[in-house]
Amino acid sequence: MCGIVGYIGSQDAQEILLKGLEKLEYRGYDSAGIALAHDNGITISKEKGRIADLRKIVDAPGLATVGIGHTRWATHGAPSRLNAHPHQSSSGRFTIVHNGVIENEAELKRDYLSKVALQSDTDTEAIVQLVERFVNEGNSTEEAFRLTLQLLHGSYALALLDAADTETIYVAKNKSPLLVGLGKDGNVIASDAAAMLHMTDRFLEIMDEEMVIVKKDKVTIQKRDGSEVKRAEFIVELNENELDKGTYPHYMLKEIDEQPLVVRKMMEAYLNEDGKLSIDDQIIQAMNETDRIYIIACGTSYHAGLVGKQLIEKLAHVPTEVHIASEFSYNMPLLSKKPFFIFISQSGETADSRAVLVKVKALEFPTLTITNVPHSTLSREADNTLLLHAGPEIAVASTKAYTAQVTVLSILANMIAKDKGIENLSYELAIAASTMEVLCNEKKKIEQLTQQFLTASRNAFFIGRSIDYYVALEGALKLKEISYIQAEGFPGGELKHGPIALIETGTPVIALTTQANVNASIRSNIKEVEARGANTCIISMEGLEEKGDKFVIPAVQELLTPLVSVIPLQLLAYYAALQRGCDIDKPRNLAKSVTVE
Ligand code: M6R
């Protein structure tokens, strides 16, 4: 989703900003722009499409050492050059970039800007026009910015330039992510650290409702009331090379292949001095005190949460509910007496999940975030964090974060289960990691299956029972988001209650069977759809295989099957998108980091 960068120092701001925006591309966007401050004013370049398109039109008159930049994912107003950021006030004095949504935009425009001729359809323009209005009323820029912030309802990460003082970038944040980076000869701002790693690895967290005055050699953080806040910097330990896709054609394929390594890295990270997989005592104690666990997540992380529920309930016998964050937020169920909340989020920035975190924190319930991004908002705000150690996940379609989430959930469930858990979890995870490797080497076979079942199809169904149903949901999500084939996941037993009406001659049905206790029943469901003309692709587990199954997965511990059964589904989605010529790493309309509710 929208991304922000800014630079103030003595180097060429244009190149720093463009490079920063390129690093933010993975978040998803439809237009981009930069504003550069020169002696004679501010030059804006913006374009619909990719950063490469923006590069072609940037036309700065000489070296600029101050600037702000933006990638936009449309919320208010269509993706267009006109609506792309930066936006300027009527006089051209103030220029702004914004990530977030201003919920009271209509009221602000009506109450304060009725006489202003607005240029764009965006909520953002209201902010920059308000600053100009307050300056015209006699306030300093800093004071006008503060007065404006006091009027805003909603989410924002903002960077503002004033053509009359090009030695300052005014910055503010509420709900949307934003960091300030401290460089050697200048300072930067960015929606995430990855965007500015080419400039620094030293960052300052900015909290909600704070305002920051960023100068070349000084950063001042203030509360809403103007009082100064002292904050220690932190170092981001991220290697810029990890952000590269190397010789792979797509990040998604690279990330699929990294999965065995990620499981091994996680086992290393969660090993205690006795050589046992273990989790911080404080977390386990809090979880032992709960009467019900609530897992909150979205998309793929939600699917990992469903697997987590199965693991926790089967191993530790603690009742567990899994909720889609955006639903929970506005329709909170009746909670148990001693709830414990787990937030699962690859990015740690998902606004829907964060909205729930804010609510349950206000109720003083214990919280744990499982995330891939240290220092992310959800990590900072929850009582505890478990990291995924998956390395940066760049492809919009989440793959290695899912398997990392399932891995950490298996360790967590095993810890709470004590002696009822999986007997030698390290060994079982090691087997799963080796099996993942075997599966990643079956690309040719999966590519052929994709051609046979999916490439020319307009829809596809994924079915499974029990834990396989959860993986079926994930397989369907992967396929739809990157290949645009309409794909749905169903529990096998539910087909006859409605979805079977959609089956016609040739409809592809991908069926998973890895669980002995439901093998016979899912096979009956497969027969039912075959009888109605479905083209079935059965993916089974060694020991349960039958003649005619298209793909047999080597056996792993039965609760850890999602770690392996998801891989053929990820590869099916990848090859379907490849064969259909889709933009695999940046699927249409989607963003990697979904920072608006
Ligand atoms: O960063 P998060 O895990 O919180 O993101 C949640 C979803 O937006 C994400 O999993 C999304 O569904 C992916 N595109 C799936 O591949």
Side-chain angles (χ1 to χ4, degrees):
M1 233 151 231
C2 304
I4 284 182
V5 290
Y7 173 72
I8 182 160
S10 41
Q11 298 182 41
D12 176 7
Q14 178 178 313
E15 197 41 43
I16 292 169
L17 295 178
L18 288 171
K19 203 163 168 201
L21 291 180
E22 279 161 357
K23 299 281 182 205
L24 289 179
E25 279 193 297
Y26 79 96
R27 295 165 70 93
Y29 69 108
D30 44 56
S31 53
I34 58 172
L36 295 167
H38 295 273
D39 293 343
N40 48 353
I42 288 174
T43 321
I44 292 188
S45 311
K46 49 187 185 175
E47 197 51 274
K48 186 177 169 204
R50 298 294 182 206
I51 308 295
D53 303 312
L54 175 66
R55 270 194 183 276
K56 287 184 204 144
I57 59 140
V58 174
D59 186 19
L63 178 78
T65 56
V66 182
I68 53 179
H70 190 264
T71 49
R72 174 173 190 255
W73 187 87
T75 54
H76 287 57
S80 65
R81 190 178 177 283
L82 182 79
N83 290 328
H85 299 211
H87 289 283
Q88 275 194 316
S89 60
S90 299
S91 74
R93 176 171 165 186
F94 298 101
T95 305
I96 204 162
V97 290
H98 166 216
N99 168 15
V101 174
I102 302 304
E103 287 156 10
N104 59 338
E105 166 222 4
E107 292 85 331
L108 292 174
K109 287 178 177 169
R110 183 196 63 210
D111 298 346
Y112 294 88
L113 303 169
S114 57
K115 296 201 180 79
V116 177
L118 297 168
Q119 303 298 314
S120 71
D121 309 320
T122 65
D123 50 343
T124 305
E125 194 186 341
I127 309 172
V128 73
Q129 298 287 11
L130 279 170
V131 174
E132 178 148 293
R133 178 188 156 140
F134 291 130
V135 166
N136 288 342
E137 287 172 1
N139 295 289
S140 67
T141 302
E142 184 177 324
E143 204 41 52
F145 191 45
R146 185 171 294 110
L147 287 170
T148 302
L149 296 177
Q150 282 162 5
L151 294 177
L152 303 182
H153 295 171
S155 54
Y156 54 79
L158 298 169
L160 175 89
L161 288 180
D162 176 358
D165 162 23
T166 54
E167 291 182 1
T168 310
I169 305 179
Y170 298 89
V171 172
K173 167 193 149 50
N174 191 44
K175 296 187 188 168
S176 299
L178 192 72
L179 295 170
V180 173
L182 308 170
K184 277 198 203 87
D185 57 357
N187 293 312
V188 295
I189 58 163
S191 294
D192 67 43
M196 281 299 170
L197 276 180
H198 57 296
M199 298 305 295
T200 185
D201 61 355
R202 296 163 50 218
F203 287 88
L204 290 173
E205 283 172 17
I206 308 302
M207 305 299 178
D208 282 353
E209 300 195 354
E210 285 179 346
M211 175 171 142
V212 195
I213 313 289
V214 184
K215 296 194 179 272
K216 182 180 166 183
D217 49 10
K218 195 170 177 214
V219 173
T220 314
I221 305 176
Q222 297 176 358
K223 288 193 188 155
R224 270 265 171 94
D225 61 9
S227 59
E228 202 176 319
V229 179
K230 290 281 169 223
R231 177 130 335 121
E233 62 186 67
F234 67 93
I235 303 289
V236 171
E237 286 162 15
L238 191 64
N239 183 343
E240 236 200 307
N241 297 336
E242 285 189 79
L243 301 169
D244 224 62
K245 66 175 183 287
T247 53
Y248 278 90
H250 299 99
Y251 280 105
M252 183 180 177
L253 197 62
K254 173 177 178 260
E255 288 160 8
I256 290 174
D257 271 355
E258 281 172 353
Q259 294 178 105
L261 182 67
V262 169
V263 173
R264 290 183 185 124
K265 267 171 59 180
M266 290 192 66
M267 287 168 64
E268 224 174 275
Y270 285 98
L271 220 55
N272 67 11
E273 296 120 23
D274 306 331
K276 290 214 169 100
L277 288 172
S278 134
I279 286 192
D280 197 59
D281 282 351
Q282 200 189 325
I283 299 175
I284 300 304
Q285 198 182 327
M287 293 188 75
N288 282 335
E289 284 166 10
T290 186
D291 60 357
R292 187 168 287 257
I293 294 169
Y294 294 81
I295 297 179
I296 310 292
C298 312
T300 288
S301 298
Y302 169 73
H303 296 155
L306 292 170
V307 174
K309 167 189 165 71
Q310 186 100 322
L311 284 159
I312 296 170
E313 290 195 334
K314 289 253 160 77
L315 297 175
H317 309 301
V318 181
T320 304
E321 294 179 18
V322 192
H323 291 269
I324 291 176
S326 54
E327 281 298 307
F328 190 96
S329 204
Y330 297 100
N331 189 16
M332 205 186 279
L334 286 176
L335 299 177
S336 66
K337 287 204 176 72
K338 295 180 95 185
F340 183 92
F341 282 83
I342 301 180
F343 293 83
I344 308 181
S345 172
Q346 186 286 131
S347 62
E349 298 295 349
T350 300
D352 289 324
S353 300
R354 197 213 171 196
V356 180
L357 177 59
V358 169
K359 284 187 183 153
V360 303
K361 269 184 67 164
L363 297 169
E364 296 184 2
F365 295 134
T367 53
L368 163 70
T369 287
I370 294 179
T371 183
N372 200 25
V373 185
H375 307 290
S376 56
T377 306
L378 284 164
S379 164
R380 287 198 312 263
E381 295 183 354
D383 300 330
N384 289 292
T385 294
L386 292 175
L387 289 176
L388 296 176
H389 303 283
E393 190 182 65
I394 307 292
V396 164
S398 183
T399 52
K400 61 177 179 173
Y402 171 84
T403 37
Q405 288 161 349
V406 171
T407 305
V408 79
L409 285 162
S410 74
I411 302 173
L412 189 62
N414 226 44
M415 284 292 290
I416 330 170
K418 297 190 189 90
D419 51 1
K420 296 177 293 211
I422 295 173
E423 203 174 309
N424 189 346
L425 183 62
S426 317
Y427 171 78
E428 300 295 354
L429 282 173
I431 298 278
S434 305
T435 307
M436 291 164 100
E437 218 158 57
V438 171
L439 296 173
C440 287
N441 288 330
E442 294 277 15
K443 294 193 182 70
K444 269 273 149 288
K445 194 163 177 192
I446 304 278
E447 194 175 0
Q448 282 158 8
L449 287 178
T450 313
Q451 220 140 22
Q452 190 183 340
F453 287 93
L454 295 173
T455 311
S457 187
R458 68 185 164 85
N459 60 1
F461 299 110
F462 289 73
I463 62 169
R465 281 178 176 247
S466 184
I467 211 164
D468 289 338
Y469 161 52
Y470 303 148
V471 181
L473 289 174
E474 175 57 9
L477 175 62
K478 260 342 43 119
L479 184 65
K480 77 178 86 163
E481 69 179 330
I482 60 167
S483 75
Y484 317 139
I485 294 172
Q486 192 191 350
E488 305 304 335
F490 296 113
E494 192 61 14
L495 285 168
K496 57 189 173 297
H497 298 290
I500 203 164
L502 296 168
I503 302 291
E504 45 191 43
T505 306
T507 305
V509 175
I510 318 294
L512 271 186
T513 176
T514 71
Q515 305 294 303
N517 66 331
V518 289
N519 183 43
S521 43
I522 191 72
R523 289 206 181 262
S524 305
N525 302 137
I526 294 167
K527 292 268 175 302
E528 285 160 13
V529 291
E530 282 174 347
R532 284 149 184 95
N535 193 15
T536 54
C537 173
I538 305 173
I539 300 177
S540 58
M541 179 136 298
E542 197 180 40
L544 302 177
E545 77 270 30
E546 286 184 14
K547 195 160 164 273
D549 290 358
K550 293 288 185 244
F551 196 92
V552 181
I553 300 170
V556 300
Q557 207 281 345
E558 67 168 359
L559 283 173
L560 301 179
T561 56
L563 290 175
V564 294
S565 57
V566 78
I567 291 182
L569 305 191
Q570 294 168 341
L571 287 169
L572 279 172
Y574 175 80
Y575 285 113
L578 188 71
Q579 288 159 11
R580 291 161 73 99
C582 304
D583 189 347
I584 295 182
D585 286 336
K586 297 187 204 97
R588 71 181 178 212
N589 304 338
L590 293 178
K592 182 69 184 164
S593 194
V594 185
T595 51
V596 294
E597 278 179 59

